[in-house]
Amino acid sequence: MYVSLQNKVAIITGASRGIGRAIAEALACEGVRVVLNGTNDMLLQEVCSSLNKKEKRAVYVAGDASLPETASSLVEQAKTHFGQIDLLVNNAGINLRKSTVETSLDEWKRLIDINLTGTFLMCQAVIPDMIKQQGGKIINMSSTTGKTPHHNASPAYGASKAGINYLTMHLAKELAEHHIHVNAVCPGPIETDMSKQWSDEYRRSVLDRIPLKTIGTPEQVANVVTFLASDQSDFITGETINMNGGTYMN
């Protein structure tokens, strides 16, 4: 139990399913009040309803994370309902599995807009309040594909995650004097709705490349995010933490 997280307030993007939902559930279990974002109104309602069974700890804002108005609305809702913003988890993102020549300009722009620009806009929106209170934690969801090429990911995806890694380090340096910690988590293969669509052959090929011979779970990612959100990580900033069973090490 992380006592330091009791009654903190977190904004979590991409929170309607998979890793984002697991993060929301893990933080709520630690006493964090959460403002959730995603594009599927019905799924967000379901997550909020589940988290609010015992007490009112969750609200949501449906909207595109790549738009500045979504970021502004999330900040407004956090302050209106809970009075503050202590944590930001940038989890919203999309993937694309196309080669360079197959990727259209619209696909490139859309992926960069959601993954990288959306992360930037959310950081930009919460920073003034975190500076005012002289503290906060920002956790960006990246990928090991941002550090090393992957044959099954488009260059747009890898470029967006590499951009998130740099943004994380830059903000950590820029905001350290205000006691704002900025870190990123770089998962490898994780059991999500997407991985359930893999063929048996592809799953075997993924497992063959993982030294630990297992695929990660959303809950394991959420555990790392919860640690980074707590005061037990107070001497960690500017890190891009690998979570991939040993596939990529640095």
Side-chain angles (χ1 to χ4, degrees):
M1 189 74 173
Y2 294 102
V3 176
S4 65
L5 288 175
Q6 284 289 318
N7 294 315
K8 295 287 188 181
V9 177
I11 294 173
I12 307 167
T13 67
S16 62
R17 66 180 81 192
I19 292 172
R21 178 167 184 164
I23 291 169
E25 290 172 345
L27 290 178
C29 283
E30 296 294 334
V32 177
R33 295 167 291 173
V34 296
V35 182
L36 309 179
N37 164 255
T39 55
N40 189 313
D41 194 281
M42 187 178 302
L43 287 178
L44 287 169
Q45 282 188 42
E46 180 192 331
V47 178
C48 278
S49 176
S50 174
L51 296 180
N52 286 331
K53 283 181 179 176
K54 292 184 179 179
E55 54 184 304
K56 186 73 173 176
R57 287 204 166 269
V59 296
Y60 76 90
V61 174
D64 187 329
S66 70
L67 300 176
E69 51 264 40
T70 301
S72 298
S73 182
L74 283 162
V75 167
E76 181 184 341
Q77 289 300 309
K79 292 163 73 172
T80 298
H81 286 274
F82 303 125
Q84 64 199 60
I85 304 167
D86 304 294
L87 309 167
L88 167 64
V89 182
N90 283 308
N91 177 68
I94 59 173
N95 200 351
L96 182 67
R97 302 189 188 280
K98 287 188 176 181
S99 70
T100 301
V101 295
E102 293 172 327
T103 303
S104 70
L105 180 57
D106 284 343
E107 288 172 328
W108 171 276
K109 288 180 175 179
R110 183 61 180 155
L111 200 145
I112 296 295
D113 279 349
I114 292 177
N115 292 6
L116 181 56
T117 305
T119 297
F120 166 75
L121 290 171
M122 281 306 313
C123 291
Q124 192 178 52
V126 304
I127 284 170
D129 285 282
M130 289 186 175
I131 289 177
K132 190 180 297 183
Q133 66 197 24
Q134 285 294 288
K137 301 258 176 122
I138 296 173
I139 302 157
N140 298 322
M141 198 57 58
S142 183
S143 168
T144 50
T145 309
K147 298 181 176 184
T148 187
H150 192 284
H151 73 283
N152 199 36
S154 75
Y157 181 76
S160 73
K161 295 303 185 177
I164 287 172
N165 290 346
Y166 175 78
L167 180 65
T168 297
M169 293 184 285
H170 185 102
L171 290 178
K173 195 171 187 67
E174 179 182 324
L175 301 173
E177 65 178 298
H178 302 292
H179 310 288
I180 299 169
H181 301 71
V182 189
N183 292 290
V185 180
C186 299
I190 302 296
E191 293 284 11
T192 62
D193 290 344
M194 188 178 297
S195 68
K196 291 174 184 175
Q197 300 171 17
W198 293 347
S199 67
D200 290 342
E201 181 182 2
Y202 183 73
R203 178 174 289 272
R204 283 193 297 270
S205 73
V206 170
L207 286 169
D208 284 343
R209 293 192 298 271
I210 302 174
L212 288 180
K213 300 304 178 191
T214 186
I215 295 172
T217 67
E219 290 73 24
Q220 288 170 327
V221 178
N223 288 341
V224 173
V225 171
T226 303
F227 165 71
L228 289 173
S230 77
D231 63 357
Q232 293 193 27
S233 68
D234 277 357
F235 202 51
I236 302 174
T237 196
E239 291 298 321
T240 53
I241 298 173
N242 299 327
M243 280 195 70
N244 52 62
T247 308
Y248 178 82
M249 305 179 189
N250 71 327

